[in-house]
Every structure is written in structure tokens, then in C-alpha cells.
Amino acid sequence: MAASIREKQTAALKRMLNFNAPPLKNTAAEPVWKVLIYDRFGQDIISPLLSVKELRDMGITLHLLLHSDRDPIPDVPAIYFVMPTEENIDRICQDLRNQLYESYYLNFISAISRSKLEDIASAALAANAVNLVTKVFDQYLNFITLEDDMFVLCNQNKEQISYHAINKPDIMDTEMEGIMDTIVDGLFCYFVTLGAVPIIRCPRGNAAEMVAVKLDKKLRENLRDARNSLFTGDTMGAGQFSFQRPLFVLADRNLDLATPLHHTWTYQALIHDVLDLYLNRVSLEESPGSEASPAGARPKKKSKKSYDLTAADKFWQKHKGSPFPEVAESVQEELDTYRAQEDEVKRLKSIMGLEGEDDGAISMLSDNTAKLTSAVSSLPELLEKKRLIDLHTNVATAVLDHIKSRKLDVYFEYEEKLMSKSTMDKSLLDIISDPDAGTPEDKMRLFLIYYITSQQPPSEGDLEQYKKALIDAGCDLSPLNYIKQWKAFTKMAAAPANYGNSGVKPMGLFSRVMNTGSQFVMEGVKNLVLKQHNLPVTRILDNLMDMKSNPETDDYRYFDPKMLRGSESSIPRNKNPFQEAIVFVVGGGNYIEYQNLVDYAKAKQGKRVMYGCSELFSATQFMKQLSQLGQK
Amino acid sequence: MSCRDRTSEFESVCKSLQGRQNGAQDIKPVHNAVRQRSDFTLMAKRIGRDLSNTFAKLEKLTILAKRKSLFDDKAVEIDELTYIVKQDINSLNKQIAQLQELVRSRNGQNNRHLQTHSNTIVVSLQSKLASMSSDFKSVLEVRTENLKQQKSRQEQFSQSPASSSSFHDNMNKYDNSNKADISIDMDLRSSQQMQLLNEKESYIQDRANTMQNIESTIVELGSIFQQLAHMVKEQEETVQRIDANVEDTQLNVDLAHTEILKYFQSVSNNRWLLIKIFLILIIFFFIFVVFLA
């Protein structure tokens, strides 16, 4: 597990694209041209990992959606990368009948069942194309990797396994089973790709426990089947230098409802919260000049620009977890260094101009051509740098606009104080009734956090006052009903989670972070510094990894798929602290928790933590789900 | 490998199904015959094969050119290989140009996917060729660098700028003659001669060096221009992702939506339409009343 999950998944994809043979390293190989066909699931999996240029390098000339109209290309092999659903199988059979391609390499994202395999076989027989179906593979790649150490289960049908779907009061058993199966399938694929069998720990009494039981069973069955096991042989071979098994912590969203609603201050989390971040791609809206739309009600089109935030972008990798003012400063610094380099290149022009007048021209010539060569070869790098700086400038400006208009720094500070139970200087009512601090949604979020984190619920009178103020500000109160129910429920189970001590030190009001002439003048925005604090999920992970005993986590169940008999005990057999851990939140996660875990892993030497969730939602989406739940 | 091969299972299922159906149907062997590959594919495959061969030769050349030893210089081999690689690159260039002509001439007949497929193949072959020729140029430059270094080191070892071979010749002469005085005489005279020769040679050498410098500079400039052209070519496929097309489609759908909305507006605002419909209804009403009454 020295390689990250992203590298492993990319390697698996590349191997698949090379007809499931390990890819050759040398460029002297003869190129083989192929066509890639995927469905929406496959598209989501491939797009954060491989760009079109990389696909071209591997010989893929065309990439098409399965359900689009495709023309026959009769002498080219086709690689299919799809989920084994009914419609996809039907479409594949149709392709076989229409004889679109020369040979077919079918790769299914998760394991295909025997009956569906028979369907394809019968269609192939009917079309007389049995020889054309060259290979059928189960790829076990049913998860999306967004970062080196972060993965999400799915993006396409995420309503089916959302928080709302799991927690709605009128859920049927069959639906629940279906959701659990989907989640377990994705997790199983994750562990197969990772190549390790973990030790599972989960809390009792909620969806996470169900998932853990099923996953344990599935892993155990697979390990027992010695002939066919996916965990022996090459997977455990090269690169597997740690002898320890990782710890897999299953957490449930119900453990901590305040974090998804929290306003945040780090770069990546802010982009996800405020702009539209989807599979590592940001979309910004740039509205053209304000023109009154004509009475014919033709909507004025806003041009959308989208940017990719990739692993190759060094600035992004360095700063995605930094607080926003730091990011603004760094963008400015990068811009300055870039301008200096640009000036150097321009200076060469003047030197070349002088050349004709100089007697020692010939001796200077070789020197200058060397400089020119180096300048020209560094030109692509410079252009790339400029593009990245532009990208981050635009994105950061957009984020800054949002912060300024909604006064997000005020919210952030207040919520931090609420979550750490320190005293506040402004009352909640003031902020709610303040008309220009934020959208109604922001106010609702703040109030919900207050409600969740307060030790006792506010008195009836206070509550009525708050409600009135919220309604005046235009908020929708249905999430509140749900939170009330949730709070009552969790009170029975355990004391509400405390959020640790955090201190937020504002570094001076109205601090001008930038010097004049730059765009990032953050007047009126407080330069807040985050002090390290641990969210509940991080604390649970800490306890479990180091085997500390803590009333919260002592009660967690323990599963070890490699043991011969499953046991009901929650006494861990393994007394050593773990070095690797994977945290998975059933019901949805977000970038704040991810960032917190990354910081935790950095602080502790030699520990690696990976984060996963069944879906990734922003606060807006979570609020929608809560209001749906509250209306029931 | 984190994937499971189901091909054998698939084949066994096929066989069992075939066995069940075998009585009723004949197996049509048509599609199992060797498929006719189109000219385009054959040509592309041939070019690909040639490219990989040339790449292998280029790798060998790189290894040879990097050697820096003074005495074991395989100049002949290097020159031969260089010549062969140059010829190969030229012929590949011509072949790819032919392929492009073929693609363009077939433009009308092909469906759009086949067209994109063919174009992509041509572009990628061209970019592979371009990268190979720039590798080739850099190998040549390395080679000239090494030659220059060799010359300078030889100059260090020998006292005169004349090549060490002439020094060796003199040494041989001295060894062959066993008479010491003759050798001393020869020494004096030959050293004088050598002095004269040295001056002439140094002058010629200087000129040669400068010419070489100019030549290498021009070569470098040529490579720079080629790199620029290469970069312009590569802008064709900048960082792009496979879900970019989805957004294109969405844009088109939005445009279509606005058009329909426009039409709807015109239809719903049209008072004349209402009047016309009303008139038609009244006409039908009268007809029915007249006929029935």
C-alpha cells in the first residue's frame, strides 16, 4: 500500500486499456489503435484520472458513450467499460448484432452475474459473433477516486444512496437491502483494488453496522474460496511492504450532523461550498453585462467557464488545504515570480537586437542561441504556469466575491466558537436578523449548528424568537423538525459529540493582506487563522488507531475477515496501534472532514489515512435533504 | 491483478448454449472468416511498425553516442546508423503524408466516427514522428558535443594541436631508427617543421572550428523552429476531459429550448390565432346546425 489508491486505480485502468496485459514501458512498441466505450458510471470513474491526451497516448482514438448512436468501424477492436445492468447488456447485444467493431473486450466495473453472462452469450451466438468477444473481465473498479487518498462511491445515481434515502422514516427493508448492497459492492471493489484485507470497526446500532456485517461476510466468502480469491497472488506482491493490515473505520453520518453544515475557510472546501465543484472540475458562471431581458422571456445566457483541478497542478496540491488568505497571498507570489521570468525572456529580445552591431557577434552568438534555446524550451512551462495562475486567480476571485457578499468569515468565526463552546461576543439573534449577512440558507445553517451543539435545547420562548427571526429572513424551517427528532434520538443513545477545543484568533480586523495594486484586497474580511482542532470523526479514528480506551469507542464492534470464525465480541485481538487507516462515512461526507483527517495524518508521523464516503455533498445539498426529511 | 478473467466461463457458457441449439441451426461461418482490413488500416499498421523499428534503432544510436571514451570511438557505426535513421525518418514522413491524402480523399464516404478515428490516427502518428525526430536531433547534438570534448582532451594530451596520430607516427619513426644522433637531428628539424606546420594547422583549425560552431548554431536554430512548429501542432489536443462533450450537448439542448420557448411565445401571444380558431369552430357549428336542422 505504498502506492496511493489513485495510482492503483490509474494503473488498473491503464492495464485494462492495454487489453488487460501489463503495459509495456518502452515507447518502441507498435501502437495499437482502439476505441473506448463507456457508460455514465465509467465516465465518472475515468474522467478524474485520465485526460484525453493520456487516452490518446494509449492508443484510444475514440471514446464514446454506450447509449449514443455509434457508427460501425469495422476493423478496430473496442474496449467496453460498463456496469453490468440490464440496459447496458441489451445495448451490448445490439452492438454484437450490428457488428460494429472487429473485436470486443468487455470489462465490467463490478462483477457480472452468471445469468447476465448467459444473456450476452446467447446474443453472441445469435449474431454469430462468439469469436469476436475476445475477453470478458470483471474489473472491480466501482468507486471514484478524487484525490490521492479520497474516494467516493458514486456520482450518477447518488439519490439512491444518499443520506435522505437511508434515513427516511418510511424506508422499506428491501430498499435498505438494496442500498446496503450497493455500498458494500463499492467498498469490496475498493479493497480489491487496494489489495489488502482490513480490520473493520464500526459503531453499533445504525446503518454503518449493517454495512460492516455485510462487508465482512463478503470478504470472508471471497477469502475462503481459495481457488478464486482476489486477494492472493499478485495483489499482495510487489509494493506490499507493510506487514500490517489497515484499519477500516465505518462511521455513520448521524454521528455528526454539524460538520456538513459548517461554513469553512480552507480553499478546497470553500470551492466545494460556494462554487460548483464536481469530480474535480469547477464551473464558474460569468454573467455578461446586465441587460434587461426582453419581454419574450428569453433567458439571458450566462457563459460558464469550467476549470480542472488536477494532480499535476502544483499550486493546487500545495494549497488546497490552506486557509483562504494564505491562498490569496500565494497566488500573488506566483504571479510575481511568473512576471519576473517573463521579463527575462523579453530581455533576450533586446540582446538579440544588439547582436548585429557588435564585433564579437560570433562569440556571443552561441551564447545567445543557448539562451534562446533554453528560453524556448521553457516556454511551454511558462505558458502552463500562466494558465494555472489565471485559473486560480479567477477561482479565488469568485470565492472572494461570495465571501464578501455573504460575510462568510463572520459565520465561520461564530460557528467555530459555537462548536468549541467558547463564549461569543455577538448574540445569535443579531446575526440572524442582520439583513446583509448572508443568504437565508447561511442563517439556517448557523442556527442548526447552534441547535445541534447546544447542551440543552433553547427554551420555548427563545426558540419562538429564533423561529420568527428566521422566517423574517426568509428561511425554510423544515430541516429544524428533522434536527429536533434527530437530537431526541441521539440523546437516548449517547451524549452529543463535542467538537474539541478550537480557538479562532482573528488577526486584526480590516487587515489588508495584499499590497496595493493587487486584486485580493481583503478589506473588511478578517484574516482568521485556524487552530488545530479535531472533528468527531477524527477523534474516533485517533482512539481506534492508537488503541486508546474511550467510552465513545469502546463499544465498537470488531470484525476480522481473515479469522476462521466470526465472533460477536468487540474485543480487538490485535493490540498494536495501526499505521494505516481508512475512514468511511455512510450517508455522505465532505471536504471539511477530509481536510481534518489530512491534517491529523500530517501531524502524526508515519500514519496514513484515507477518506471515503458514499456520496459527496455540499451544505446546500445537505440542507435540501434535511428539509425533505423534515417535511415527512 | 485486481480483476477477474471471466472469458473461460463465457466460452463454456457459449459452448453449452450452442450444444442446446445445435440441432436446429446451421452455423454460418461467414463472420468468422478473416476480416477484410481496409487499406487505411493496413497502411497505418505498416507505418506503426516502421516507426517502432526506427525507434529501436534510435535507442541504439543514443547509447552509442553517449559513450565518451577516447579510444574506442565507433565513429563508423555511428555514422552509418545516423544515415539509416535519417533515411527512415524521411520515408516515414512521406508515408504519413500519403496516409493523410488517403484520409482526405475518403472524407465524403466515411461516417463521422470513422473519420474522427482516421484523423486521430494520422495526428498521433505525426506527433510520434515529430518527437522521434527531435530525439534524433538531440542525439546528434550530444554526438557533436562529445566530438568537441574529445578534440579538446586530445589537445591536452598532445603538445601540438596536430592530431595524436601524427605524434604517433613520429614516435614510430624514432623507435625505428636506432641511431641516437640521427634521431636528435631529425628531432630538431622535425620540430622546426612541426612548428611551421603547427602554425598553419592552428590557423586552419581555427577556421574549421568557427565553421563548425556556425553550423551547429544553425542546426540548433533549425531545431528550435521545429519545436515551435511541434508545439503549435500539439495545441490541437490540450488538456481535455472525456466529459467535455456532455456539456456541448447540454449547450445545444439549451439553445433548442430557447428556440422552442420563442415559438411558444409567438404562438401564445398571437391573437389572430385565437380568432382563426374561433371562426373555424363557428363555421363547423353552422354546418352541423344547417345539416341537422
Side-chain angles (χ1 to χ4, degrees), chain A residues 28 30 33 52 56 61 71-73 75-76 102 112 114 134 136 138-139 228 234 279 281 296 380, chain B residues 1-4 6-7 9 13 37-38 41 49 52 111 113-114 117 120 124 231 237 240-241 247 265:
Chain A
E30 189 182 318
W33 313 109
V52 170
R56 294 270 183 270
T61 54
D71 300 319
I73 307 182
D75 43 14
V76 163
E102 177 197 38
I112 182 172
R114 176 85 187 189
T134 321
V136 178
D138 288 336
Q139 286 294 335
N228 235 345
D234 292 339
L279 287 181
R281 169 175 272 205
Chain B
M1 294 222 288
S2 65
C3 53
R4 183 177 282 178
R6 307 283 289 266
T7 319
E9 205 181 317
V13 168
R37 299 274 178 88
S38 68
T41 328
R49 219 180 7 242
S52 59
N111 56 57
H113 282 158
L114 194 53
H117 171 73
T120 322
S124 99
M231 277 193 292
E237 261 174 317
Q240 214 185 337
R241 284 189 359 173
E247 290 170 8
Q265 285 292 325

Side-chain angles (χ1 to χ4, degrees), chain B residues 228-293:
Chain B
L228 278 171
H230 187 44
M231 277 193 292
V232 169
K233 189 87 192 179
E234 282 199 309
Q235 294 303 315
E236 272 186 31
E237 261 174 317
T238 45
V239 179
Q240 214 185 337
R241 284 189 359 173
I242 60 179
D243 42 5
N245 286 338
V246 176
E247 290 170 8
D248 271 341
T249 332
Q250 196 184 15
L251 202 64
N252 287 339
V253 167
D254 281 337
L255 283 173
H257 178 71
T258 52
E259 292 297 314
I260 293 180
L261 217 58
K262 250 195 311 179
Y263 185 65
F264 175 65
Q265 285 292 325
S266 69
V267 163
S268 58
N269 281 347
N270 204 347
R271 265 180 288 160
W272 278 110
L273 193 63
L274 283 170
I275 295 177
K276 280 185 231 162
I277 293 177
F278 191 55
L279 275 175
I280 293 178
L281 280 174
I282 299 232
I283 291 174
F284 269 110
F285 180 64
F286 275 137
I287 292 177
F288 274 123
V289 163
V290 162
F291 277 153
L292 286 179

Side-chain angles (χ1 to χ4, degrees), chain A residues 25 159 222 251 296 307 317 328 396 398 410 422 441 581 599 628 632:
Chain A
K25 292 287 183 182
E159 304 80 36
N222 195 274
Y307 302 107
Q317 294 299 321
V410 172
S422 49
E441 208 182 80
D599 292 337
Q628 274 177 335
K632 295 255 169 74

